[in-house]
Amino acid sequence: MNITTISFHLRKRFNNRILKEKTYNTYAEAAEKCKRSLYEDNAIVQLLADKAKDNSFTKPSAKPLNPGCLALADVISRQLIQHPAKPITVLDFGGGNGDYYYNTRRIIDKKILLKWVVVETPAMAKMLQPYQTQELFFTDTIDKAMALFQNNLDILFTSGTLQVMPEPYKTIEMLCNTNSNYMVFHRQSLSLEDFDIISIQTSLLSWHGSTKLPDNFKEKIIKYPYTSIQRTKFEDQLKNTNYQLLYTFDEATGVKRVNSYNVQGTSYIYKRS
């Protein structure tokens, strides 16, 4: 454990016990305090690209499956029942270097064809172009992804991404407008208060992405705004669409605790009516 890691954990422990965490009225106000390029931080982009180089990243492994992959496998099977002959199209919003693709591919039959497009930041999408495959693609906008699908999308998937978007409610609207057959909102951090909880997430660079760290890795602290949106507003916004809720399950890994505010970690699976 290096000095950056030790300092990070000591500071976090002290703050949690002694200090009240600062919250903000807007994303922009929190972003100003971060004074970095947020999720466009070159260190994050480079790390995820370096991890994509690792051969073990694309191979089956014995590590536990993320529940989001099980939800994906479920909606893929539902889609196959309706349209067994065509490739399954998946838009993975905020999918990093394709981790969910590779882990979902582990548990579905090789005969099932996928067309999986990750929508990421411009810097991330550009850096990951060399790691595209016959099934996995990277782009920087929803519109570009939909063009690759010829506006025919089976599954919209997003995991822990709304929390870091500047305008999460507009983002939800954009995702609904893809008119996908199924939507999976995985690892949502939702405020049970009557307001959004906007704070700053402080994390270690090494936490980003899966697989082992590159040999030349240097740890650093990353900061970016983090919003737990109101659960009632999230659910009401989806009720006013042409989607019906199939089921939910608890998933606390996307939750950020702020002071004594009540938050809930939940995943939602929807089907277009």
Side-chain angles (χ1 to χ4, degrees):
M1 187 176 291
N2 60 37
I3 189 66
T4 301
T5 305
I6 294 172
S7 173
F8 170 81
H9 286 294
L10 287 175
R11 189 183 306 127
K12 192 168 186 179
R13 188 174 302 174
F14 175 81
N15 288 345
N16 287 344
R17 291 185 178 181
I18 307 298
L19 301 177
K20 185 176 181 180
E21 184 172 356
K22 183 174 177 55
T23 57
Y24 301 87
N25 294 320
T26 65
Y27 176 99
E29 184 182 346
E32 178 64 26
K33 297 296 182 182
C34 295
K35 297 181 179 179
R36 290 182 183 274
S37 51
L38 310 179
Y39 253 90
E40 292 265 7
D41 189 299
N42 289 333
I44 298 177
V45 175
Q46 187 61 58
L47 177 61
L48 290 184
D50 287 341
K51 287 187 173 185
K53 295 176 186 176
D54 181 5
N55 290 334
S56 67
F57 180 62
T58 62
K59 295 178 181 177
S61 69
K63 69 179 182 179
L65 274 172
N66 186 302
C69 297
L70 299 178
L72 278 163
D74 172 46
V75 293
I76 286 172
S77 67
R78 291 170 184 263
Q79 180 65 28
L80 277 173
I81 290 172
Q82 298 173 348
H83 303 283
K86 65 183 285 291
I88 303 296
T89 55
V90 182
L91 192 160
D92 185 353
F93 185 74
N97 54 8
D99 190 60
Y100 275 101
Y101 162 77
Y102 285 109
N103 281 286
T104 302
R105 176 43 89 189
R106 286 168 51 197
I107 59 173
I108 63 173
D109 195 287
K110 293 181 180 179
K111 294 178 182 179
I112 299 173
L113 300 179
L114 299 176
K115 187 171 186 178
W116 191 295
V117 179
V118 173
V119 175
E120 261 296 348
T121 64
M124 190 84 72
K126 182 178 180 180
M127 183 70 80
L128 292 169
Q129 291 299 305
Y131 306 104
Q132 295 188 140
T133 70
Q134 291 183 332
E135 287 193 335
L136 177 63
F137 307 87
F138 298 92
T139 190
D140 58 1
T141 68
I142 292 175
D143 287 344
K144 290 178 182 177
M146 292 303 294
L148 290 172
F149 297 134
Q150 297 181 329
N151 291 315
N152 184 12
L153 179 59
D154 297 321
I155 300 166
L156 184 288
F157 177 81
T158 186
S159 176
T161 301
L162 290 180
Q163 293 93 303
V164 298
M165 297 301 295
E167 298 180 289
Y169 298 106
K170 286 188 177 181
T171 300
I172 293 170
E173 182 179 357
M174 286 193 300
L175 298 180
C176 291
N177 286 342
T178 62
N179 209 32
S180 60
N181 293 326
Y182 295 91
M183 292 197 299
V184 178
F185 290 90
H186 183 45
R187 297 175 67 244
Q188 301 307 303
S189 182
L190 300 172
S191 167
L192 302 185
E193 310 292 345
D194 60 356
F195 51 86
D196 295 342
I197 304 169
I198 304 174
S199 61
I200 292 176
Q201 174 74 299
T202 302
S203 64
L204 292 173
L205 174 61
S206 57
W207 294 358
H208 295 79
S210 62
T211 74
K212 67 181 183 180
L213 296 169
D215 294 336
N216 62 346
F217 176 76
K218 291 184 179 181
E219 189 65 277
K220 66 181 292 188
I221 293 174
I222 302 293
K223 293 184 178 183
Y224 46 86
Y226 192 100
T227 304
S228 292
I229 64 175
Q230 294 178 59
R231 185 185 70 179
T232 53
K233 287 182 67 173
F234 171 82
E235 293 179 348
D236 287 346
Q237 185 171 356
L238 268 296
K239 285 178 183 176
N240 293 322
T241 66
N242 60 338
Y243 287 91
Q244 65 180 60
L245 181 64
L246 291 179
Y247 58 90
T248 68
F249 58 88
D250 293 339
E251 175 57 89
T253 59
V255 165
K256 181 179 186 297
R257 304 288 176 186
V258 179
N259 304 324
S260 59
Y261 295 133
N262 293 310
V263 292
Q264 176 181 335
T266 308
S267 296
Y268 293 77
I269 291 77
Y270 290 89
K271 179 182 179 181
R272 184 160 55 88
S273 302

